Amino acid sequence: MVSLNPVRILKQEAEEEKAEIARLSSFVGAIAIGDLVRSTLGPKGMDKILISSGRSAGSVEVTNDGATILKSVGVDNPAAKILVDMSKVQDDEVGDGTTSVTVLASELLKEAERLIEQRIHPQTIISGWRKAIDVARKALQDASTDNSSNLDLFREDLLNIARTTLSSKILSQHKEHFAKLAVDAVLRLKGSGDLQAIQLIKRAGVSSKILSWKKDSCWTRNRECISRNASRTLKFS
C-alpha cells in the first residue's frame, strides 16, 4: 500500500517561512544592512571598528568603506546577502559607490514595504521602479553638459569628480594633490579607458606629498624614477 504520511524534503534543522512572514523577514534583513553602512556615507561619514572572530580573533580594522564592512559581516538573510553581493559587484566593476548603492537599495525596499502594506502587488511596484529609472535617466541627461571639446573645462570636471570621490577617503586632507595625480594619469590614456595601462607602485614609508606624476608615465620620489620599457611594464631604474 502507498503510505499517506507526509514526506519531509527539508533537512531536520531547516526552517520554512511563508507569505507575510517571509516577506517581512526579507525587508527587515535588507533594511538592517542599509542602516549598518548609512552612517559611513559621504564626507562626514563615520568609521566603523571591525573586530574579527575565529582564526583571526582579536584583530581590529577601522574603515568607512562599504564593501569592506559588508564583506566582514556574516549574514544569513537572503535579501541581506543580495545587498552584500551587489556591493561586491559595484566594487569590482566601478571601484566606488559601494555604500551609495547599498543605502539606495535599502531605501527603495523600505518604501516598497509601505506599498506592500497598502496591498499593491510587488510586480506593480517593480514596474513603477523601471519607469522611474527612465525618468531619472532623462532628467540627468537634460541636466548634463558636455565639455569634452574644451580641454580646460573637461579637466576641471574630472578634477571635481576626483575630489568628490576622495572626500570620504582617508586621503581627504590631500584630495587636491591626489585628484590632480589621478586626472593627469587618466588624461594620458587619451580616451582609451584602459586603466590597466596605469600601474601603481607602492613605496613603503613614502610621504604622500612627495609623490608626483611624470609625462613619461612614471612616479618619482626624490628624483628616483620608475621608467617604462618597450613592453609597457614599469621597472625600477
Side-chain angles (χ1 to χ4, degrees), residues 9-129:
I9 60 175
L10 301 176
K11 293 182 179 180
Q12 192 65 34
E13 66 275 10
E15 297 180 0
E16 185 178 7
E17 295 179 348
K18 295 182 179 180
E20 293 296 330
I21 297 178
R23 189 178 295 122
L24 179 61
S25 176
S26 297
F27 280 129
V28 170
I31 293 172
I33 289 293
D35 291 339
L36 175 66
V37 297
R38 185 191 308 277
S39 59
T40 68
L41 183 63
K44 296 184 181 296
M46 296 181 291
D47 292 343
K48 298 285 187 182
I49 300 176
L50 306 177
I51 303 176
S52 301
S53 60
R55 294 183 179 179
S56 56
S59 63
V60 178
E61 183 177 6
V62 180
T63 181
N64 69 347
D65 179 62
T68 303
I69 295 170
L70 295 177
K71 286 176 185 176
S72 305
V73 177
V75 295
D76 56 2
N77 183 283
K81 284 184 178 180
I82 291 176
L83 262 64
V84 173
D85 292 341
M86 181 178 62
S87 175
K88 291 178 181 178
V89 171
Q90 178 75 7
D91 190 34
D92 294 339
E93 295 293 329
V94 182
D96 193 43
T98 54
T99 304
S100 300
V101 297
T102 304
V103 173
L104 176 60
S106 173
E107 286 298 314
L108 287 174
L109 288 172
K110 186 180 292 185
E111 294 300 321
E113 183 181 16
R114 298 177 183 176
L115 297 175
I116 290 292
E117 291 175 353
Q118 299 175 20
R119 303 296 180 182
I120 299 177
H121 196 276
Q123 289 299 330
T124 304
I125 299 173
I126 294 173
S127 177
W129 280 346

Side-chain angles (χ1 to χ4, degrees), residues 40 42-45 47 63-67 91 95-99 162-175:
T40 68
K44 296 184 181 296
D47 292 343
T63 181
N64 69 347
D65 179 62
D91 190 34
D96 193 43
T98 54
T99 304
R163 292 187 192 107
T164 301
T165 303
L166 292 170
S167 294
S168 61
K169 308 302 179 186
I170 195 172
L171 299 171
S172 58
Q173 295 180 348
H174 308 290
K175 64 181 179 181

Side-chain angles (χ1 to χ4, degrees), residues 207-224:
S207 172
S208 61
K209 294 183 179 179
I210 63 176
L211 290 174
S212 60
W213 169 262
K214 291 296 184 182
K215 290 185 178 180
D216 58 349
S217 299
C218 68
W219 297 92
T220 62
R221 174 186 179 271
N222 297 336
R223 297 184 179 180
E224 294 178 4

